[in-house]
């Protein structure tokens, strides 16, 4: 992926304030739920709330982000509210896909960490397949799997996305390790919101590239 495309993705949230607002709301809700119980605290009764936010609410944000990016790339830009209304139509398929992917990744993590990460990367384009190509839940997973064959493409995806995930994790750790108070919590939400938009923008641009696999390495 060329630096110009990465730069475009980084600038996106500042050009689309409506998208940034939705991302902030989602990140805030997820942060509040995660403070009660993280996604790894499966023994906590509040774990269900966190997973509920992750599975039931995240499709709205991801849908809006993917459709806004898709519109910009194909020069058929749509307003944020239009992207939200289209996401509502695809919501049942997004929920099915979210559940299937989470089950597959959880099974891989249960066996060993690496299979879970590998499966997550192989299935990473399922939302784009649903929203852009109108694939059904299971079919969307197959589309994503065909787009990410072998080990090379998943490893390149990991290298591309790792800095954004690493930034969010680092800020989250710093906010809990040091007494930043409300300022630190607000910073976590803002950085998480930005990273969510950046990763969705990068993945959607890659998905729309005809030579997806070769573009990753360019």
């Amino acid at each position: 992926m060329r630096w110009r495309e990465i730069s475009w993705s980084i600038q996106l949230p500042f050009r689309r304030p409506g998208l940034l607002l939705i991302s902030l709301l989602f990140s805030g809700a997820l942060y509040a739920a995660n403070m009660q119980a993280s996604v790894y605290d499966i023994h906590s009764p509040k774990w269900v709330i966190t997973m509920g936010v992750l599975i039931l609410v995240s499709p709205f944000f991801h849908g809006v982000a993917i459709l806004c990016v898709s519109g910009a790339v194909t020069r058929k830009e749509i307003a944020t509210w239009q992207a939200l209304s289209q996401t509502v139509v695809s919501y049942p398929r997004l929920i099915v896909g979210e559940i299937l992917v989470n089950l597959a990744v959880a099974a891989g993590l249960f066996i060993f960490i690496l299979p879970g990460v590998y499966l997550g990367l192989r299935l990473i384009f399922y939302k784009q397949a649903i929203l852009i190509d109108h694939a059904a839940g299971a079919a969307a997973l197959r589309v994503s799997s065909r787009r990410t064959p072998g080990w090379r493409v998943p490893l390149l995806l990991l290298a591309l996305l790792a800095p954004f995930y690493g930034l969010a994790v680092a800020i989250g750790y710093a906010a809990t390790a040091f007494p930043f108070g409300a300022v630190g919590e607000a910073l976590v939400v803002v950085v998480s919101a930005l990273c969510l938009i950046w990763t969705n923008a990068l993945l959607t641009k890659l998905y729309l590239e005809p030579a997806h696999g070769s573009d990753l390495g360019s």
Side-chain angles (χ1 to χ4, degrees):
M1 173 170 269
R2 295 172 290 275
W3 168 249
R4 181 180 60 186
E5 294 169 316
I6 296 175
S7 176
W8 181 90
S9 300
I10 291 174
Q11 295 173 35
L12 180 64
F14 308 107
R15 296 197 306 265
R16 297 294 297 261
L19 177 58
L20 180 57
L21 175 61
I22 289 178
S23 185
L24 286 169
L25 291 173
F26 170 61
S27 296
L30 188 58
Y31 179 77
N34 199 62
M35 289 296 290
Q36 302 299 315
S38 77
V39 293
Y40 306 106
D41 295 332
I42 59 175
H43 299 295
S44 171
K46 295 182 179 179
W47 175 81
V48 177
I49 298 175
T50 304
M51 291 305 297
V53 172
L54 186 63
I55 293 175
L56 299 177
V57 179
S58 66
F60 288 111
F61 160 72
H62 291 295
V64 171
I66 290 167
L67 291 172
C68 285
V69 173
S70 176
V73 172
T74 59
R75 298 184 179 180
K76 299 177 181 177
E77 292 205 35
I78 60 175
T80 304
W81 68 267
Q82 291 175 308
L84 182 58
S85 65
Q86 291 182 32
T87 300
V88 171
V89 175
S90 302
Y91 184 75
R93 285 177 292 152
L94 288 167
I95 287 295
V96 171
E98 189 78 24
I99 293 172
L100 290 174
V101 168
N102 276 281
L103 287 174
V105 172
L109 290 173
F110 181 77
I111 297 170
F112 191 60
I113 293 177
L114 287 179
V117 174
Y118 178 71
L119 283 172
L121 292 167
R122 290 292 306 272
L123 303 176
I124 203 166
F125 290 111
Y126 81 92
K127 298 183 187 78
Q128 284 80 5
I130 291 173
L131 291 160
I132 297 173
D133 292 329
H134 310 293
L141 270 62
R142 290 194 293 271
V143 170
S144 181
S145 183
R146 286 196 298 269
R147 292 290 192 102
T148 55
W151 284 94
R152 178 178 175 272
V153 174
L155 285 174
L156 289 171
L157 283 170
L158 180 62
L160 177 66
L161 299 175
F164 299 101
Y165 290 127
L167 175 62
V169 170
I171 295 297
Y173 174 79
T176 56
F178 301 99
F180 292 135
V183 174
E185 293 179 347
L187 184 61
V188 171
V189 171
V190 170
V191 171
S192 297
L194 290 171
C195 288
L196 283 169
I197 296 176
W198 292 335
T199 54
N200 271 286
L202 290 169
L203 289 172
T204 302
K205 284 180 71 67
L206 284 172
Y207 185 84
L208 291 167
E209 285 285 341
H212 166 77
S214 60
D215 184 68
L216 273 171
S218 63

